[in-house]
Amino acid sequence: MAHRTAFDLGDLRAEFLHGIDLLRQTVPTSNAALLHGNGNVIAVAELSDHPEFSAQQLSTATRALCEQVAGMRIDGLAYLIARKDAEPHMIFFDRDGTREKMCGNGLRCLARYAHDAGVISAAGDIITGDGGKAVRINPKIVEGTLGIPRELVRLGEKRWFLYTGVPHLVEIVDAADDIDVATAGARLRNDTALCNRVGHPEGIHVNFASWGQELSVRTYEVGVEDETACCGTGVGAVAYIGWKTHRNSLPVNVTTRGGPMRVDTRNGALTIAGTVDYLVRPLGPLLSEPGIEGATS
């Protein structure tokens, strides 16, 4: 998690409250919380009247919140839309306001929040821009489905591309811990020729992976424009490529800077599992929209 050298959780909560007040100037969010999935810091905010919001409004609101909180970098914002008799939806924006079809840790954090709010049980489905994703919630551990990997391309002896809901470049290195991810990642993420070659001119997430005594992954993320403690879709991409190239089997444990994750397959779809916990708990009663089964009053 990116944060100041020292911070107080009370100060973080105060900053988050102020950020939510700024967000509400653009979109009337009913409730919100701050969580992390393996150190990937994700805000979750409830939307009860989504059709009234434009993507630009949500993008503006996301930037306002993320820029306000200085005590800990918020990597993205997952908007939860929950209505009676319908599967919950996730709309995800990176901290810079870029909309993404999917975010693995965003999905897992939103799943934890939705479970605690009574929207889904210990297993359920959440609709994302990349389709429906199954989730399973256990104490502290949340599993999310990434779906069937797509667009696999070998770009070189130690370079691959894979789409796991967002576009991922995988660089195979001798030791991931030795890489200057901020510099090397930015260079590859902004390589126009490379991005065009894989069909994603908007930019690609860059993963540095090494197989030694353990599989280690570090990721530079588009929209954050820096290394994050963990990227769920990136971890899934690396584990899948390792499996395809006989470097690892599935399931496999993956070491990230935010802690271990486990990657597996179910019916051909990749799954990722790891810790999810609150940094700032919900600011008000969970799920204020009337008529939602399991909502608290």
Side-chain angles (χ1 to χ4, degrees):
M1 290 176 282
H3 53 75
R4 293 190 294 243
T5 303
F7 69 94
D8 180 84
L9 285 176
D11 292 340
L12 178 64
R13 179 179 173 82
E15 288 185 349
F16 186 65
L17 281 166
H18 188 198
I20 291 300
D21 286 342
L22 294 176
L23 183 146
R24 286 171 173 159
Q25 292 178 16
T26 305
V27 291
T29 303
S30 57
N31 201 2
L34 188 63
L35 304 93
H36 77 90
N38 282 79
N40 197 184
V41 180
I42 306 293
V44 175
E46 298 173 25
L47 296 180
S48 56
D49 300 305
H50 167 63
E52 297 183 5
F53 306 139
S54 69
Q56 185 57 51
Q57 285 175 305
L58 295 176
S59 175
T60 299
T62 298
R63 291 197 307 273
L65 170 63
C66 293
E67 291 170 1
Q68 174 59 38
V69 179
M72 183 173 290
R73 186 186 69 202
I74 299 177
D75 296 321
L77 201 165
Y79 291 98
L80 169 64
I81 305 167
R83 296 191 179 90
K84 188 177 181 180
D85 301 324
E87 292 177 326
H89 283 62
M90 177 183 82
I91 302 177
F92 188 84
F93 286 82
D94 296 319
R95 66 172 283 108
D96 71 352
T98 300
R99 184 172 180 175
E100 299 283 4
K101 290 184 177 180
M102 236 304 267
C103 173
N105 287 326
L107 173 71
R108 296 193 310 112
C109 288
L110 184 135
R112 166 68 69 192
Y113 182 102
H115 171 267
D116 294 348
V119 177
I120 57 175
S121 60
D125 292 291
I126 294 172
I127 306 302
T128 74
D130 191 48
K133 307 296 181 184
V135 295
R136 297 184 179 187
I137 301 94
N138 297 304
K140 297 288 186 179
I141 301 296
V142 178
E143 178 189 270
T145 301
L146 301 183
I148 298 174
R150 290 150 277 171
E151 304 177 28
L152 177 64
V153 179
R154 182 177 181 178
L155 300 169
E157 183 181 354
K158 295 185 176 182
R159 180 178 289 181
W160 294 77
F161 176 82
L162 187 68
Y163 189 88
T164 52
V166 291
H168 279 282
L169 183 75
V170 175
E171 286 273 295
I172 299 172
V173 299
D174 292 334
D177 283 344
D178 294 341
I179 303 299
D180 180 352
V181 174
T183 300
R187 175 177 56 81
L188 291 166
R189 175 262 189 272
N190 291 298
D191 186 328
T192 302
L194 176 60
C195 293
N196 287 334
R197 181 180 176 186
V198 298
H200 290 275
E202 72 277 11
I204 51 179
H205 299 250
V206 182
N207 305 271
F208 299 93
S210 59
W211 284 260
Q213 293 183 337
E214 57 191 20
L215 168 54
S216 296
V217 180
R218 295 174 63 191
T219 304
Y220 182 98
E221 290 201 52
V222 173
V224 178
E225 305 309 332
D226 202 348
E227 180 179 9
T228 57
C230 177
C231 174
T233 54
V235 164
V238 169
Y240 181 81
I241 288 170
W243 177 62
K244 295 291 286 187
T245 58
H246 309 292
R247 288 178 168 85
N248 60 257
S249 59
L250 289 177
V252 64
N253 294 323
V254 182
T255 297
T256 77
R257 295 214 153 179
M261 292 197 75
R262 187 170 179 84
V263 181
D264 202 351
T265 57
R266 185 176 296 113
N267 299 322
L270 282 175
T271 64
I272 56 171
T275 59
V276 171
D277 208 348
Y278 287 96
L279 294 164
V280 178
R281 291 192 171 274
L283 305 179
L286 281 168
L287 280 177
S288 57
E289 182 181 354
I292 297 179
E293 294 181 6
T296 57
S297 59

